[in-house]
Amino acid sequence: MFRGNYIQGQFVQVSGSESSGEWITRSPADLGDSLGSVAYSYAAVEEAVFSARNAQRAWRRTSLEDRVSLLKRYQEQIRIREAEFSNLISREIGKPLWESRTEVSAMVNKVDITIQDSMKLVQPFQIPAVMPDTLGSCQYRPHGVMAVIGPFNFPGHLPNGHIVPALLTGNTVVFKPSEKAPAVGQLMAECFHAAGFPAGVFNLVQGEREVGRRLSVHPGVAGVLFTGSYEVGTRIKQDTLQQHWKILALEMGGKNATLVWDDADLDVAVHETLVSGFLTAGQRCSATSRVIVHQSLLEPFVERLHAKAKAFRIGHWSEEPFMGPLIDSSAVDRYMKFIGIAAREGAELIMRGKALELSRPGYYVAPTIAWIQTPSLEQTRRSVFQQTELFAPALAVLGVADLEEAIAQANETQYGLVASVFSKSRDVFEKCREELEVGLVNWNKSTVGASSKLPFGGFKKSGNHFPTALTATLYCAAPVSSLEVAEPKPAEVLASAMPGLNWS
Ligand code: NAD
Ligand code: SIN
């Protein structure tokens, strides 16, 4: 099933002598379902960057209209293969089929949003008479070859969110999908191929960490558009420190809080928290992992949340569950370890996550609700359970007495991606929006499910101030400003404006 890397407009299998290793990929939702063996090669990184560099000159000169029409053809290919895409995402990473369908429609929509909305941010513009007799103008130019490094949890939508704006602004691309989702990466390459992109404009290299590292540090790569963990993002930053000119757009993790205030609609808050914490088995950068509840609602909130969490269906992606499995066995082990840590730190485990044995063997787990007793800022700061991004279905719930304390608790994290506020009061929401140290603050809506029509990015350990989604074009193109004088005045006239030149 695996066709190798996609370089210079064709799939190339890794030959025995070039192979740097291989791995077998299995569905986390059914360990009996193997997707095949993927070979990778360090030499392919060199070949893919070479191919992308060679294609760069012609691609940046291709008119925007032609680039748009090729991307529309790519969009059409995704549409045609929508069912195949959704099934493959679900098979490969285990998320329910209904959820994979929403991922694929986000990929389709991304093309139109980039063309219609994001490209406006990098439109050329002019300022007449920016100085006397001078036209000011600005044009945006591509950086060159962009390396796109993808995560596993949205194996199509998130890399696509970098690739589409990178191509549209005139860059060429080398994409390395997550080693946990090589098949979705391959299907994207097939869509670019079928759309008829010129050879070398889009390239794909399969591989694990070392392939990603070699790609990031390659001197022919002008920028690294990364979505993944803080640890790997920081590693990429360190590895490229001597290449200070490289664009690094780092979309990293989250430890997101939901605030439930005393006037909130309790059922809405419970519903949205359930979705925020447990959708995709908590494997979203935007997942809620801490719920900060006004004391007056704490008991009924926990009770209802527990009842709803016990009731939802966990299972194979084809069976319409609410939640599928974790991605692999090490994610399950890590989840179990952190539940133990929560207990040792004194949390009351209202619901204790455990590995589940379902009819199809997979990495299924039950969710966790941990009630933090007598919380304090000091305790939050020291809590490994409350500070670490778990990427698993686990919620810490804590009660607070006033809004200042709630905001302080929410900010007591090294991450800064998303927060949600549940309250009838716009004043409460506005205060939270002003004071929460995050890139997105939602009101009466879950932390997950961001819109591609808005910027998406966080502060602190969550990002490096290059938000993606709507604003992705801004890190894909550099402004070039000009002072234009089409018909300069004679030199003696110019010189007369400057004392002391003695021009004549
Ligand atoms: P990860 O960081 O483990 O891996 C991401 C990618 O980096 C993979 O393709 C991997 O092969 C590659 N990689 C690993 N080491 C590398 C190195 N040294 N140099 C270059 N590349 C390297 O992340 P993951 O487990 O796939 O995804 C989960 C993480 O992603 C979570 O932390 C989550 O919060 C984050 N995430 C962030 C966003 C966002 O938009 N902010 C969205 C989704 C996921
Ligand atoms: C993610 O990128 O991990 C989640 C984004 C979202 O929920 O919208």
Side-chain angles (χ1 to χ4, degrees):
M1 152 176 201
F2 284 99
R3 303 175 64 188
N5 299 307
Y6 181 74
I7 297 173
Q8 197 53 34
Q10 52 187 332
F11 282 98
V12 199
Q13 285 291 3
V14 174
S15 72
S17 61
E18 266 205 348
S19 172
S20 306
E22 62 185 283
W23 77 95
I24 290 175
T25 148
R26 280 177 208 293
S27 174
D30 181 354
L31 300 182
D33 179 13
S34 168
L35 285 90
S37 167
V38 195
Y40 61 96
S41 141
Y42 299 148
V45 172
E46 195 62 47
E47 290 156 17
V49 175
F50 184 74
S51 154
R53 273 178 79 86
N54 276 348
Q56 227 292 291
R57 205 176 162 79
W59 181 243
R60 69 191 291 170
R61 289 181 174 176
T62 301
S63 70
L64 181 58
E65 273 169 342
D66 288 348
R67 293 202 294 257
V68 164
S69 91
L70 277 162
L71 277 152
K72 294 289 284 181
R73 272 151 63 180
Y74 163 71
Q75 178 190 47
E76 191 50 29
Q77 287 301 316
I78 301 177
R79 256 200 210 110
I80 292 168
R81 301 178 77 169
E82 191 275 339
E84 192 186 345
F85 249 114
S86 310
N87 278 285
L88 196 59
I89 292 172
S90 287
R91 250 185 102 194
E92 193 161 48
I93 68 142
K95 69 168 74 160
L97 189 56
W98 64 267
E99 215 191 318
S100 297
R101 289 197 183 110
T102 64
E103 175 165 357
V104 180
S105 66
M107 292 174 73
V108 169
N109 295 340
K110 177 73 192 177
V111 174
D112 292 331
I113 292 170
T114 309
I115 295 167
Q116 284 155 25
D117 303 313
S118 304
M119 287 305 283
K120 283 191 191 137
L121 304 175
V122 290
Q123 282 295 310
F125 62 90
Q126 294 186 335
I127 304 178
V130 72
M131 288 174 189
D133 306 317
T134 307
L135 174 74
S137 68
C138 179
Q139 294 198 342
Y140 288 82
R141 71 157 63 133
H143 297 293
V145 176
M146 295 304 232
V148 174
I149 299 183
F152 77 81
N153 67 327
F154 278 87
H157 167 52
L158 292 174
N160 192 63
H162 293 302
I163 293 167
V164 171
L167 293 176
L168 208 49
T169 46
N171 303 276
T172 53
V173 164
V174 180
F175 170 38
K176 189 202 88 63
S178 164
E179 59 274 41
K180 294 165 190 167
V184 174
Q186 175 170 297
L187 189 47
M188 286 169 72
E190 287 176 4
C191 290
F192 279 110
H193 185 80
F197 272 75
V201 170
F202 172 87
N203 305 271
L204 169 97
V205 284
Q206 300 284 11
E208 37 58 279
R209 180 178 39 181
E210 180 58 14
V211 170
R213 190 194 69 77
R214 286 177 186 240
L215 181 58
S216 310
V217 301
H218 196 292
V221 163
V224 184
L225 312 183
F226 168 78
T227 307
S229 61
Y230 167 75
E231 290 70 22
V232 173
T234 305
R235 167 61 53 202
I236 292 173
K237 187 155 183 154
Q238 284 166 345
D239 288 344
T240 54
L241 215 51
Q242 302 299 324
Q243 300 169 319
H244 63 274
W245 40 268
K246 251 179 201 182
I247 291 283
L248 297 185
L250 305 175
E251 316 300 333
M252 303 183 284
K255 189 74 187 173
N256 310 299
T258 286
L259 278 63
V260 181
W261 215 235
D262 56 357
D263 59 346
D265 180 318
L266 193 57
D267 283 331
V268 170
V270 167
H271 177 271
E272 296 294 285
T273 303
L274 195 88
V275 169
S276 304
F278 303 140
L279 193 64
T280 332
Q283 299 171 116
R284 287 195 183 214
C285 59
S286 53
T288 288
S289 46
R290 300 177 68 224
V291 197
I292 299 161
V293 187
H294 191 274
Q295 285 292 3
S296 62
L297 287 186
L298 187 58
E299 279 194 27
F301 178 85
V302 171
E303 212 171 87
R304 285 189 213 187
L305 185 70
H306 184 200
K308 298 295 177 197
K310 276 193 300 192
F312 69 63
R313 209 165 43 237
I314 301 170
H316 189 264
W317 52 269
S318 61
E319 293 161 357
E320 298 270 313
F322 171 72
M323 189 175 109
L326 289 177
I327 188 68
D328 57 20
S329 63
S330 61
V332 176
D333 293 347
R334 190 165 178 273
Y335 178 50
M336 293 302 139
K337 188 176 102 186
F338 275 91
I339 294 170
I341 289 173
R344 284 198 294 286
E345 287 180 353
E348 185 185 337
L349 293 172
I350 303 291
M351 191 167 180
R352 189 178 183 126
K354 57 176 193 248
L356 299 176
E357 283 184 21
L358 305 186
S359 56
R360 300 186 216 218
Y363 302 119
Y364 297 99
V365 294
T368 294
I369 301 173
W371 189 336
I372 309 298
Q373 307 293 315
T374 57
S376 70
L377 286 179
E378 177 60 17
Q379 181 212 38
T380 301
R381 210 169 294 135
R382 288 158 170 244
S383 163
V384 176
F385 179 66
Q386 287 191 71
Q387 291 295 337
T388 314
E389 185 191 36
L390 302 187
F391 230 51
L395 288 174
V397 185
L398 39 142
V400 290
D402 65 56
L403 196 54
E404 298 295 340
E405 189 190 349
I407 291 170
Q409 274 289 358
N411 285 338
E412 196 55 64
T413 161
Q414 294 179 30
Y415 290 94
L417 193 52
V418 199
S420 286
V421 184
F422 289 85
S423 168
K424 294 196 175 71
S425 157
R426 177 168 272 281
D427 289 347
V428 168
F429 165 59
E430 293 292 1
K431 182 174 170 62
C432 291
R433 175 152 64 181
E434 197 176 311
E435 296 188 19
L436 290 171
E437 297 160 359
V438 289
L440 298 97
V441 184
N442 296 337
W443 186 22
N444 294 325
K445 198 160 170 63
S446 75
T447 52
V448 300
S451 164
S452 300
K453 293 187 174 180
L454 290 167
F456 183 84
F459 309 141
K460 296 160 60 179
K461 280 166 87 168
S462 297
N464 67 337
H465 303 285
F466 282 115
T468 188
L470 172 74
T471 40
T473 43
L474 288 175
Y475 56 70
C476 291
V480 177
S481 298
S482 300
L483 297 175
E484 299 184 26
V485 183
E487 290 174 19
K489 291 191 172 137
E492 49 276 24
V493 176
L494 297 174
S496 66
M498 303 225 173
L501 255 183
N502 293 326
W503 191 258
S504 60

